[in-house]
């Protein structure tokens, strides 16, 4: 269930492996971008998110490229942090959660990635089972 889906018909859509990968990478990149802003001592103003259309994520090569690109971007954002990051400025990206500083915002993106690992394993398991049954 994706309560934040852009289209109402996508809220209960079963996710493909590509959908999960583009969602997870976009979320982690957003966290990294916001963390960089906070580390520089600036307030975050709204979302910093762009998600590759999941409908385009149909091959293993595409997913590998997307994962490599996302890793490169997140590492570059970490590299751009000042030597003495501001850890006092915070951002509450969800009203139900406490505000995050630069470090906790970056880590929240990695935590979100981690929260999808079981889902990714299950999708891969189902795909393998489907192939062996065919």
């Amino acid at each position: 269930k994706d309560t934040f889906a852009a289209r109402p018909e996508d809220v209960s859509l079963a996710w493909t492996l590509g959908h999960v990968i583009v969602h997870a990478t976009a979320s982690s990149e957003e966290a990294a971008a916001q963390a960089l802003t906070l580390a520089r001592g600036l307030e975050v103003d709204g979302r910093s998110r762009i998600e590759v259309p999941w409908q385009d994520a149909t091959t293993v090569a595409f997913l590998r490229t997307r994962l490599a690109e996302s890793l490169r971007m997140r590492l570059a954002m970490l590299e751009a942090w000042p030597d003495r990051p501001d850890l006092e400025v915070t951002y509450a990206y969800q009203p139900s959660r406490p505000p995050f500083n630069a470090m906790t915002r970056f880590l929240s993106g990695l935590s979100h990635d981690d929260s999808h690992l079981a889902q990714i394993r299950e999708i891969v398991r189902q795909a393998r089972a489907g192939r062996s049954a065919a």
Side-chain angles (χ1 to χ4, degrees), residues 7 11 22 25 29-30 36-37 45 62 66 70 78 86 89-90 95 105 109 130 133:
R7 301 177 325 163
V11 170
V22 299
T25 54
E29 290 159 16
E30 177 180 36
L36 172 58
T37 298
D45 184 24
F62 182 99
R66 173 83 275 269
S70 182
L78 270 180
D86 187 318
V89 178
T90 61
R105 184 63 182 121

Side-chain angles (χ1 to χ4, degrees), residues 27-39 70-79 81 87 91 93 100-113:
S27 296
S28 202
E29 290 159 16
E30 177 180 36
Q34 291 174 340
L36 172 58
T37 298
L38 293 168
S70 182
L71 176 61
R72 178 183 51 78
M73 290 167 56
R74 289 181 275 161
L75 289 173
M77 285 185 252
L78 270 180
E79 188 66 28
W81 279 37
L87 300 178
Y91 173 59
Y93 75 99
F100 288 173
N101 69 11
M103 189 176 307
T104 54
R105 184 63 182 121
F106 187 87
L107 292 174
S108 74
L110 298 180
S111 176
H112 181 264
D113 283 352

